[in-house]
Amino acid sequence: MSLVRSAEPATASCRNTKLYSVQDSSDGTNMAFRMSGPDKHKPVYVTDSYSSESYEKYFLDSPMDELIHSSSSGISGSSIPSYQIRDYLEIQSPDTLDSDPDRMKLKLQELERALLADIDVEGDFDMFATGPSMEVDGEWSDPIRTDSLHDSPKESSSSGSFLGSISSNKEVSNVSIRSPKQRLIECAALISEGNIEEASAIINELRQMVSIQGDPPQRIAAYMVEGLAARMAASGKYLYKALRCKEPPSSDRLAAMQILFEVCPCFKFGFMAANGAIIEAFKDEKTVHIIDFDISQGNQYITLIQTLAKQPGKLPHLRLTGVDDPESVQRLNGGLKIVGLRLEKLAELLGVPFEFQAVPSRTALVTPSMLDCRPGEALIVNFAFQLHHMPDESVSTINQRDQLLRMVKSMNPKLVTVVEQDVNTNTSPFFPRFIEAYSYYSAVFDSLDATLPRESQDRMNVERQCLARDIVNIVACEGEERIERYEVAGKWRARMKMAGFNSRPVSSDVIDMIRKLIQEYCDRYKLKEDLGALHFGWEDKSLIVASAWS
């Protein structure tokens, strides 16, 4: 596997000529992915090669369809009561709504506060000053306005159900011209009421409208519709696992992650902000011990070691402890060992005193004694895109998320860095969670559209391997099966303070460095500092938040 400069023309105004694509320099063999499911279903293998029929091969031949048609039970969909959805959508009249958007926004804010009881106690606000984070615009609300809304979908007739009015001739004529976005919201509303039959019909219609090679709305709809289908079939956990790469870190999974950090640099900037705070904590230290509770492929530390090598004066001794779930894909394929060897070789080449320690354990089972902390060393803990995987009080009374933070605080670290996606997919019920996920990932897909051509194989790999599986998990799963539980910046701030940490603002030098890099990508990427944290966004949408604590 080799990295080469992309030869594709840069047609978009924000396209970065420095981006890299990935080519297989060996035999060109495509990697196959096995779509896992119940034993009675045959596995479906999907290669990395895409054609015009790849969407059907990837999703429509999966066991998920059989589950949908063979079982009418699945998930009831009543994650949010019918009357709450009614309140969410019931606007006095279309004319009133169109002429008074502020009133609609106020109603939505009131509902958000009622449904999402976890908004920051200090009063969180939109980092890019565009209104509430769970905003529903006219395109979402138009197709679901109705005069008759019933409490029980089971008791509703075709003309009196939640979306029953679409059975009229006038509404039917409008269905064909509705966008995938509008049909998605209708489908999600039906599922939330338990109306599986009508939702299934919309899913079949959507599958004819979307394409993983189309424009951003078509691409995100292609994955979100399968999340809805998996929710109805209660097969989300199988699809989530099937979308995981089953190869060691040197495979296309690593390549896709590298490309994601390049073409959607908000993720890369988050790592850079954390690394900048870590480098500053090295000052006047002889030995620094970094603990990473989800080291993954270790990409962040490649950059860190390279940066350290350029620092003037005598370098401190760096100890890195990488925690990795022994049941993870990387661990089973020797990934943690590969990560350690790669970093050790790089450090030796660059003359950085380095020591790597692997801790094969689930994060929830890690104790301070397993981490080999030594007297006299400065302790730094790095949480980069990891804390959201820890179940909190909404999942279990054990509350592993806060428990981990309290354990880290008891170890008296000099610095703790947190990098997370700035969106609430944790405690919000299904229907508002679906809307918020669509809004968030739409910005991500739009940013990819500005940096890679739509026909790019690299782009499709990134969207499938790095984004689609998260979307499926957020939309299709509940309870312990829902792993991707992101929280907004204000909630992370509240958790850190409750655990006893104090905010440690990122220095102006680090901020200035990142601002210069942003200019090399596109002026549609935004950076804003708020309460010591750095928010990285695309246009008016905050995507990633990075913060430092002590």
Side-chain angles (χ1 to χ4, degrees):
M1 193 75 64
S2 60
L3 289 173
V4 298
R5 291 188 181 275
S6 175
E8 295 169 299
T11 57
S13 60
C14 290
R15 198 145 293 157
N16 186 354
T17 57
K18 297 181 180 181
L19 301 181
Y20 293 92
S21 61
V22 177
Q23 295 181 347
D24 192 338
S25 58
S26 55
D27 57 5
T29 303
N30 293 316
M31 182 182 302
F33 288 80
R34 178 172 179 171
M35 302 292 289
S36 304
D39 294 338
K40 66 180 180 178
H41 299 292
K42 296 180 180 180
V44 177
Y45 291 88
V46 186
T47 69
D48 280 344
S49 294
Y50 280 85
S51 64
S52 60
E53 61 181 18
S54 60
Y55 173 73
E56 294 183 358
K57 284 183 176 295
Y58 184 60
F59 278 127
L60 304 190
D61 293 341
S62 70
M64 187 165 54
D65 283 328
E66 298 179 37
L67 287 171
I68 293 173
H69 296 297
S70 64
S71 172
S72 61
S73 58
I75 293 179
S76 66
S78 56
S79 299
I80 172 171
S82 175
Y83 72 87
Q84 289 186 357
I85 297 175
R86 223 177 32 251
D87 292 341
Y88 185 80
L89 300 170
E90 189 172 22
I91 312 297
Q92 294 168 354
S93 73
D95 294 336
T96 301
L97 205 147
D98 291 336
S99 61
D100 192 359
D102 292 336
R103 184 168 183 173
M104 175 186 177
K105 189 169 294 186
L106 178 61
K107 285 180 176 290
L108 293 175
Q109 288 175 321
E110 292 173 351
L111 176 77
E112 182 177 3
R113 285 192 292 269
L115 289 178
L116 308 181
D118 62 348
I119 298 301
D120 180 23
V121 294
E122 298 178 0
D124 225 10
F125 60 95
D126 188 342
M127 289 299 104
F128 298 96
T130 57
S133 61
M134 197 183 70
E135 181 177 350
V136 181
D137 58 26
E139 188 179 357
W140 281 97
S141 56
D142 284 342
I144 46 181
R145 295 173 190 156
T146 178
D147 296 330
S148 178
L149 296 171
H150 293 256
D151 288 337
S152 173
K154 295 181 180 179
E155 298 176 359
S156 302
S157 65
S158 60
S159 61
S161 63
F162 179 75
L163 294 172
S165 61
I166 66 172
S167 61
S168 66
N169 292 335
K170 180 179 179 181
E171 289 293 330
V172 168
S173 65
N174 290 334
V175 168
S176 60
I177 62 174
R178 286 175 180 161
S179 67
K181 178 180 178 180
Q182 292 170 319
R183 296 302 274 161
L184 279 170
I185 188 63
E186 291 180 353
C187 187
L190 287 166
I191 292 175
S192 66
E193 280 201 331
N195 193 336
I196 304 303
E197 183 176 352
E198 290 189 44
S200 297
I202 294 180
I203 284 176
N204 290 333
E205 176 188 337
L206 277 166
R207 283 171 169 165
Q208 305 305 313
M209 300 170 65
V210 300
S211 168
I212 60 172
Q213 294 176 310
D215 60 21
Q218 287 182 320
R219 297 168 92 106
I220 186 175
Y223 296 117
M224 295 207 77
V225 70
E226 297 309 326
L228 292 173
R231 182 178 181 86
M232 291 194 303
S235 62
K237 66 177 181 180
Y238 302 114
L239 187 55
Y240 179 67
K241 291 180 180 179
L243 288 169
R244 284 183 176 179
C245 180
K246 296 181 171 50
E247 299 296 328
S250 58
S251 70
D252 280 356
R253 171 65 178 177
L254 176 58
M257 290 300 294
Q258 290 173 330
I259 297 169
L260 176 63
F261 296 152
E262 289 295 328
V263 300
C264 188
C266 286
F267 295 88
K268 181 177 183 178
F269 296 151
F271 283 127
M272 292 179 62
N275 278 353
I278 290 172
I279 292 293
E280 291 182 337
F282 273 63
K283 186 178 180 180
D284 300 326
E285 300 292 347
K286 295 181 178 180
T287 302
V288 176
H289 182 191
I290 301 177
I291 299 174
D292 193 311
F293 280 91
D294 185 14
I295 195 169
S296 189
Q297 291 98 18
N299 292 347
Q300 179 178 356
Y301 300 102
I302 294 176
T303 304
L304 181 69
I305 292 172
Q306 291 171 337
T307 305
L308 275 176
K310 299 175 183 178
Q311 300 300 305
K314 184 178 180 181
L315 298 178
H317 182 81
L318 172 59
R319 296 183 61 223
L320 176 61
T321 295
V323 179
D324 188 54
D325 187 343
E327 297 179 1
S328 72
V329 173
Q330 281 81 10
R331 178 63 182 170
L332 291 173
N333 289 277
L336 193 58
K337 182 178 180 181
I338 293 175
V339 168
L341 289 174
R342 183 199 301 126
L343 295 176
E344 288 172 349
K345 290 181 180 179
L346 176 64
E348 182 180 3
L349 178 65
L350 298 179
V352 176
F354 181 78
E355 176 185 347
F356 182 80
Q357 175 187 209
V359 177
S361 172
R362 290 176 51 199
T363 302
L365 301 179
V366 173
T367 62
S369 61
M370 300 167 61
L371 301 173
D372 189 26
C373 296
R374 302 169 187 173
E377 63 183 15
L379 179 63
I380 297 175
V381 177
N382 182 50
F383 291 116
F385 303 107
Q386 192 274 336
L387 282 174
H388 70 270
H389 286 146
M390 302 297 294
D392 72 344
E393 66 277 2
S394 67
V395 181
S396 170
T397 55
I398 298 176
N399 192 356
Q400 296 179 13
R401 189 170 297 190
D402 289 344
Q403 188 179 68
L404 176 60
L405 291 176
R406 288 193 297 268
M407 184 196 78
V408 169
K409 180 59 179 177
S410 71
M411 298 167 63
N412 194 29
K414 181 177 182 178
L415 178 73
V416 176
T417 51
V418 178
V419 184
E420 282 290 348
Q421 293 175 242
D422 192 10
V423 59
N424 179 22
T425 65
N426 183 28
T427 57
S428 53
F430 163 66
F431 187 66
R433 184 173 75 244
F434 178 86
I435 293 175
E436 182 143 354
Y438 185 96
S439 175
Y440 181 89
Y441 284 101
S442 287
V444 177
F445 276 72
D446 282 343
S447 69
L448 291 175
D449 201 53
T451 51
L452 279 180
R454 293 177 182 177
E455 67 275 10
S456 166
Q457 181 67 56
D458 291 341
R459 177 175 171 180
M460 285 185 282
N461 286 344
V462 165
E463 291 171 345
R464 186 186 73 243
Q465 296 182 27
C466 304
L467 302 177
R469 64 189 303 268
D470 289 359
I471 290 173
V472 167
N473 186 257
I474 291 168
V475 172
C477 299
E478 296 293 347
E480 294 182 354
E481 293 179 359
R482 183 146 54 84
I483 308 299
E484 307 298 336
R485 292 179 168 270
Y486 304 111
E487 293 186 306
V488 293
K491 187 58 182 286
W492 288 119
R493 185 164 60 248
R495 286 192 187 278
M496 296 301 290
K497 289 185 176 181
M498 287 174 59
F501 293 101
N502 295 312
S503 177
R504 183 170 174 169
V506 179
S507 74
S508 58
D509 290 340
V510 174
I511 296 175
D512 291 342
M513 175 190 66
I514 296 176
R515 285 192 190 278
K516 292 179 181 178
L517 287 174
I518 288 178
Q519 295 174 0
E520 295 182 11
Y521 281 89
C522 179
D523 58 6
R524 295 165 73 184
Y525 285 105
K526 306 297 182 182
L527 165 61
K528 180 164 184 174
E529 183 181 8
D530 179 63
L531 298 177
L534 297 183
H535 296 255
F536 304 100
W538 173 254
E539 295 185 334
D540 60 357
K541 186 68 174 177
S542 177
L543 299 179
I544 303 296
V545 58
S547 57
W549 305 83
S550 59

